[in-house]
Amino acid sequence: MKRYEALADDLAASIRAGVLRAGDRLPSVRQASTSRGVSPSTVFQAYYLLEARGLIRARERSGYYVTAAERPLPPEPEALPADDAPGEPISERIFSVLESSMTRDVVPLGSAFPSPLLFPLGRLAKVMAATVPRMDPWSAVDELSPGNARLRRQIALRYLGDGLHVHADEIVVTNGALEALNLCLAAVARPGDAVVVESPAFYAALQSIERNGMTAIPVQTHPRDGIDLEALERAVARHRPKACWLMTSFQNPLGSLMPEAKKRQLVELLARHEVALIEDDVYGELYFGSRRPAPAKAYDTKGLVMHCSSFSKCLAPGYRIGWAAPGRYAKAVARLKLTTTLAASAPAQATLVAYLEKGGYDKHLRQLRQTLAAAQNEMMQAIARYFPAGTRATRPLGGYFLWVELPEEVDALAIHRLALSHGISVAPGPIFSAHARVANCLRLNYGHGWDTRIENAVRTLGRLAGA
Amino acid sequence: MKRYEALADDLAASIRAGVLRAGDRLPSVRQASTSRGVSPSTVFQAYYLLEARGLIRARERSGYYVTAAERPLPPEPEALPADDAPGEPISERIFSVLESSMTRDVVPLGSAFPSPLLFPLGRLAKVMAATVPRMDPWSAVDELSPGNARLRRQIALRYLGDGLHVHADEIVVTNGALEALNLCLAAVARPGDAVVVESPAFYAALQSIERNGMTAIPVQTHPRDGIDLEALERAVARHRPKACWLMTSFQNPLGSLMPEAKKRQLVELLARHEVALIEDDVYGELYFGSRRPAPAKAYDTKGLVMHCSSFSKCLAPGYRIGWAAPGRYAKAVARLKLTTTLAASAPAQATLVAYLEKGGYDKHLRQLRQTLAAAQNEMMQAIARYFPAGTRATRPLGGYFLWVELPEEVDALAIHRLALSHGISVAPGPIFSAHARVANCLRLNYGHGWDTRIENAVRTLGRLAGA
């Protein structure tokens, strides 16, 4: 951990413990630098980080103040009780919930996407307008799977920037991360095979496994630090899965982040059993801390980790450009891509190449993270304000989802239907797990900034939930 | 058949029979109009058609002349001998051939694509530059499967122009026709099921069926008029397939075109047995006759025909925009799309909408068809000139593939390797069928116009084949 991160964590602990209270002014950068014996720049970085997390706010020409929290935030939920029995089919339920929510008029608290207004779509359109007329016509027919070579190089460079050595030749460009994940699954598992998922899990993973005639093995997952490795080892021994499909950073729906040591243990555990890890890392860039959390891929020595991500959640929604870095399965995945959808859209690939080569992506990401962190803080406070007593909620360190556990008697599917009639979508727990204990849970999206409309929607939800 | 088509066919028969010979001048439009008792415009349309087919040529201020053929064209091949036993796995062989040919330096006689230079890529790029900056940002996150509503409407309008009533709501936009075909297959068949294919068949169909753990049932297919319906009925009775995956117009690799009456019989036959038809119609727009051949979909009354096509082969290669009109399976296919790749690229969809709404597509298609028809004629003549005695070749009425049957002792896989060492790709018969009788066959691509480089490549091939 870097010095400024340690300082930020220390201050955050003081805020949480009530030593520093809402409205308190923090020491000036110079004061803190002297009293803590660190450089002013370290203090400044720590304050910046706390601001991004929504814990403090700058007032012009006056310094930093602890953000006002009217009341204590709800406690964090616990992991679901252990249950690694194969889940029931829930694909129909998922479709039914998703299809009912897919309308532009609702307040999108149930959406899977952040607001498109948070992305540099205008800049991308300009880059596209300048790039596509100069595209080599032959690229349209000979840049098939594994995809545009310059784009694969840019992706490899980003891995390198995060300390991972992934060669461009290992990368397969796909139609978004969802295709990458599906191709990786097809590369390692056949109908009838068992595949481990988190409990609760990203619903598309459950649907893919079901669609392919495989069996999902849900494994207990803690809302803060991810899948339980002891439960995982038992599930591996009992079900002999061909793969684990996991989100190791800012899991959907929980928001959990596996600490790096735990990711390393995960990779070692799976390597011992020769089980492939399909690592869905689409939210990895949306961290609120000081640096991108390393994916499990960073600890892979046997080529068993298939890392999947995309530009859809952090740069270019709708372009449908993602990728897999599938380790020893790279050739198999590239061939699967070739025989299922041939190639990703050439103009979209060329545009991302030009954008990434030009620079500016990291600056955009910094702004995006700050917006999301601030919106999370607002939504946490709104939940504290409006939701019934007994509500619990996760406090993810990145991404744009909160997992909310309502009092036990609340029926999240009923809330989903009621909320829709009030023009609000939510993602009810039962689309993420067949486990009975998610019946009173909701996933809420805070990736649409914060405004009165959203605040009112959260208040309405609280009322519907019995507050 | 329209009057000018009948006239054209009559003249074509005279040319083939030698009544009209190379270099002969045709009657003037006025003379023919009087002698045949048809309007001058009918004559003109018939001549235009014959010119597009490469049979006659206009000389400025002098009239129309029968095209010079130095020697008789090779005869057409027969259908492969009957054999509807399940084919052996050949996916590995296909990959090995395709991957070895995927280099830009070779003369692309083995390519699956026409030359990208035949497409209005510059115009499309301009449309994209004007369209994408004005895209609704929300379209990026809420226009998921089944795809851009305006694009589906444009596709429905094109169906209507061809006399088919396909509602926009039935259409699912996909990442090219290949994804459409794969999703349709997944909607109707499960691992272990039998699926009828043509013999020889488009290799990607063979690979998809193999990849999904299904069994391909090859059925005898005539190089001129497509799959043998009696053989098909026997195969259906014997193997109880869940689907047929067929190319009813300008089949790849044969170029065969099922007459419309035969398409109707096909649909009726399959309806009697409740077997779904996955109709791959990506070449339907590339006809050399007077109008688009109706697809089998036109005769469907039970919603069993899943019509698949794309813009990749006739307008926008590399954009990866195709579609399925899957009849009663429309909802299932839209859901499969949602859980496998979510959506097609939004900027590519928006660009095609703007292009199609503006008009000009049909004008481009007319030019494209004429270029392909002329190139086919050139390649036929070159084959007559350079290939060994005993060679047979199809004369497709559209598309951009010739199917060439070399003397029996020639090994097409050996020719493929030899040709590559001379910088020429070919598509050897054995990637289209496990049947021994394709061992001496090649699919040649004439979709790259005609020039000395291509003519030299055909000459080299002839030499390699023993001429």
Side-chain angles (χ1 to χ4, degrees), chain A residues 92 95 99 104 116 136-137 140 142 175 178 182 190 207 211 317-320 335-336 339-341 345-346, chain B residues 92 95 99 104 116 136-137 140 142 175 178 182 190 207 211 317-320 335-336 338-341 345-346:
Chain A
E92 268 306 314
F95 278 127
E99 285 164 1
R104 194 176 284 205
D136 177 353
D142 65 6
N175 299 309
L178 187 57
N182 274 299
R190 311 294 312 155
Q207 289 184 308
R211 176 167 42 76
Y319 280 55
R320 306 301 307 138
R335 284 179 161 193
L336 282 167
T339 60
T340 49
T341 64
S345 190
Chain B
E92 266 308 312
F95 279 127
E99 285 164 2
R104 195 176 284 205
D136 176 354
D142 65 7
N175 299 309
L178 188 57
N182 274 299
R190 311 293 312 154
Q207 288 184 308
R211 177 166 41 76
Y319 280 55
R320 306 302 306 137
R335 284 178 161 194
L336 282 167
L338 195 67
T339 60
T340 49
T341 64
S345 191

Side-chain angles (χ1 to χ4, degrees), chain A residues 360-400:
Chain A
Y361 185 31
D362 285 305
K363 191 178 162 204
H364 152 69
L365 283 173
R366 279 194 296 274
Q367 287 174 340
L368 177 61
R369 288 174 200 131
Q370 217 166 337
T371 305
L372 294 178
Q376 185 197 76
N377 188 49
E378 297 278 8
M379 192 173 276
M380 289 300 298
Q381 310 234 7
I383 286 170
R385 212 175 299 136
Y386 301 124
F387 272 44
T391 296
R392 291 165 174 268
T394 53
R395 287 174 216 175
L397 299 170
Y400 49 87

Side-chain angles (χ1 to χ4, degrees), chain A residues 26-375:
Chain A
L26 268 70
S28 72
V29 171
R30 191 182 309 180
Q31 286 168 337
S33 163
T34 311
S35 69
R36 301 259 177 179
V38 296
S39 74
S41 122
T42 299
V43 177
F44 188 79
Q45 283 182 77
Y47 283 11
Y48 180 81
L49 192 53
L50 290 170
E51 195 181 17
R53 289 185 193 160
L55 291 173
I56 66 173
R57 278 187 191 172
R59 290 191 204 145
E60 218 173 324
R61 272 190 290 274
S62 162
Y64 283 91
Y65 291 80
V66 178
T67 308
E70 291 152 43
R71 57 194 76 200
L73 296 181
E76 292 181 80
E78 297 299 316
L80 298 184
D83 170 17
D84 68 349
E88 306 158 38
I90 61 167
S91 202
E92 268 306 314
R93 181 199 294 165
I94 296 168
F95 278 127
S96 138
V97 168
L98 294 186
E99 285 164 1
S100 70
S101 319
M102 263 187 200
T103 149
R104 194 176 284 205
D105 313 322
V106 301
V107 186
L109 301 184
S111 171
F113 307 97
S115 165
L117 306 178
L118 300 180
F119 298 96
L121 294 177
R123 168 111 198 272
L124 281 169
K126 272 186 200 150
V127 172
M128 184 172 257
T131 305
V132 174
R134 299 202 318 257
M135 267 173 70
D136 177 353
W138 292 96
S139 70
V141 295
D142 65 6
E143 272 184 6
L144 307 180
S145 179
N148 183 307
R150 280 164 69 192
L151 181 56
R152 289 185 286 118
R153 189 176 135 72
Q154 285 299 315
I155 294 167
L157 284 173
R158 288 199 69 81
Y159 276 118
L160 195 63
D162 295 322
L164 271 77
H165 293 270
V166 174
H167 197 281
D169 289 345
E170 185 191 329
I171 294 165
V172 183
V173 179
T174 58
N175 299 309
L178 187 57
E179 182 178 46
L181 294 160
N182 274 299
L183 296 179
C184 287
L185 182 66
V188 295
R190 311 294 312 155
D193 286 344
V195 179
V196 164
V197 295
E198 288 132 338
S199 176
F202 174 37
Y203 51 75
L206 302 176
Q207 289 184 308
S208 291
I209 291 165
E210 202 171 310
R211 176 167 42 76
N212 284 293
M214 304 165 186
T215 309
I217 308 295
V219 168
Q220 187 173 32
T221 298
H222 194 279
R224 194 183 296 166
D225 63 9
I227 196 162
D228 183 307
L229 294 184
E230 284 176 23
L232 173 62
E233 185 130 39
R234 284 194 303 273
V236 167
R238 184 164 157 208
H239 298 284
R240 302 265 157 227
K242 282 294 182 348
C244 293
W245 176 331
L246 306 180
M247 298 190 82
T248 51
S249 299
F250 318 127
Q251 195 254 7
N252 177 0
L254 295 175
S256 58
L257 170 64
M258 291 182 81
E260 297 187 357
K262 196 173 169 187
K263 283 175 179 153
R264 183 193 292 271
Q265 289 164 19
L266 167 71
V267 172
E268 287 166 358
L269 188 167
L270 295 181
R272 279 199 302 279
H273 297 274
E274 281 278 325
V275 175
L277 172 60
I278 302 169
E279 185 177 29
D280 180 353
D281 194 22
V282 292
Y283 305 115
E285 292 280 14
L286 305 180
Y287 55 88
F288 304 157
S290 54
R291 62 175 182 80
R292 190 193 207 294
K297 176 86 176 170
Y299 308 107
D300 184 28
T301 53
K302 298 182 74 178
L304 279 169
V305 181
M306 314 171 86
H307 187 252
C308 299
S309 193
S310 85
F311 296 104
S312 304
K313 306 290 169 48
C314 31
L315 177 62
Y319 280 55
R320 306 301 307 138
I321 301 296
W323 70 90
R328 65 166 82 156
Y329 307 101
K331 188 177 176 188
V333 170
R335 284 179 161 193
L336 282 167
K337 167 76 183 155
L338 196 67
T339 60
T340 49
T341 64
L342 199 63
S345 190
Q349 290 185 81
T351 301
L352 288 178
V353 167
Y355 177 91
L356 294 169
E357 287 180 353
K358 211 172 235 178
Y361 185 31
D362 285 305
K363 191 178 162 204
H364 152 69
L365 283 173
R366 279 194 296 274
Q367 287 174 340
L368 177 61
R369 288 174 200 131
Q370 217 166 337
T371 305
L372 294 178

